[in-house]
Amino acid sequence: KNEVEQSPQNLTAQEGEFITINCSYSVGISALHWLQQHPGGGIVSLFMLSSGKKKHGRLIATINIQEKHSSLHITASHPRDSAVYICAVKGTSQFYFGTGTSLTVIP
Amino acid sequence: KAGVTQTPRYLIKTRGQQVTLSCSPISGHRSVSWYQQTPGQGLQFLFEYFSETQRNKGNFPGRFSGRQFSNSRSEMNVSTLELGDSALYLCASSLMPTGTATSYEQYFGPGTRLTVT
């Protein structure tokens, strides 16, 4: 059983489209993280959320603690957004990770 | 401020050997976590260190161990390497460890890609 489920696994979008990636989790958490990983391996933390909503530029992340669900939205997608997006949650003693969503944005 | 550094970046070892990987956190960060990433299992948590003490450990065999030094630098060691240990090993640092009531931003290093032949 996976503690963190992400959907979709793969996503192809045209430049300019609005994109949503979903994350559901089953453990109690102190925070949820959205990570971005480009080819080559480097991981960047995009958001850390414990409630509500955060916005950085074209990226928006929301979390519903009661429903144990989070979404990552990308507005006006761009080819440079092409990457793997990973949802991670911190449980009582360790981090759990989703399998990632591979996003390709076509010009 | 310099980011998280990991050495070496690439490593090739033979089955049965042991390996030590190093991680230097961002200056002022006192917590270091280690992760393994493979195509089949994705990202998995290995351990978290704070003040030279292991705070949490993931579901890995005892062949995987680590330590943290007084300057917050951390090393992880894998003994008796197996083919399945081939992976990208990532470390991340944060100001403080993540507790049940608080969470701190994690900053990832570039990783060490280990190949076991």
Side-chain angles (χ1 to χ4, degrees), chain A residues 21-67:
Chain A
I21 301 170
N22 294 299
C23 173
S24 296
Y25 55 92
S26 58
V27 295
I29 69 168
S30 57
L32 181 143
H33 299 248
W34 280 102
L35 310 174
Q36 181 192 56
Q37 186 172 32
H38 281 283
I43 292 180
V44 173
S45 177
L46 296 174
F47 293 103
M48 183 178 66
L49 290 163
S50 53
S51 65
K53 177 179 173 178
K54 286 190 176 180
K55 184 175 189 287
H56 290 156
R58 296 179 294 105
L59 273 59
I60 302 166
T62 63
I63 187 168
N64 185 318
I65 297 294
Q66 286 72 32
E67 294 185 5

Side-chain angles (χ1 to χ4, degrees), chain B residues 11-94:
Chain B
L11 203 49
I12 299 174
K13 290 284 189 179
T14 305
R15 266 182 304 176
Q17 288 185 314
Q18 75 164 21
V19 67
T20 299
L21 311 181
S22 181
C23 172
S24 293
I26 290 172
S27 177
H29 285 195
R30 297 172 61 193
S31 179
V32 173
S33 298
W34 287 90
Y35 305 93
Q36 181 197 63
Q37 187 177 37
T38 60
Q41 298 294 321
L43 268 167
Q44 293 182 280
F45 170 76
L46 279 158
F47 9 72
E48 179 185 41
Y49 285 91
F50 174 70
S51 290
E52 302 177 65
T53 302
Q54 185 181 91
R55 285 177 53 89
N56 295 299
K57 190 176 194 298
N59 300 324
F60 279 82
R63 301 185 296 107
F64 292 81
S65 63
R67 58 179 176 167
Q68 185 180 35
F69 302 95
S70 57
N71 61 359
S72 296
R73 190 177 70 85
S74 178
E75 288 181 347
M76 66 162 281
N77 185 276
V78 188
S79 62
T80 320
L81 284 166
E82 301 176 0
L83 293 178
D85 297 332
S86 294
L88 180 67
Y89 290 88
L90 292 150
C91 88
S93 76
S94 58

Side-chain angles (χ1 to χ4, degrees), chain A residues 82-102:
Chain A
S82 297
V84 175
Y85 294 83
I86 302 167
C87 172
V89 301
K90 177 64 162 64
T92 53
S93 63
Q94 65 166 295
F95 274 93
Y96 300 94
F97 296 89
T99 52
T101 295
S102 180

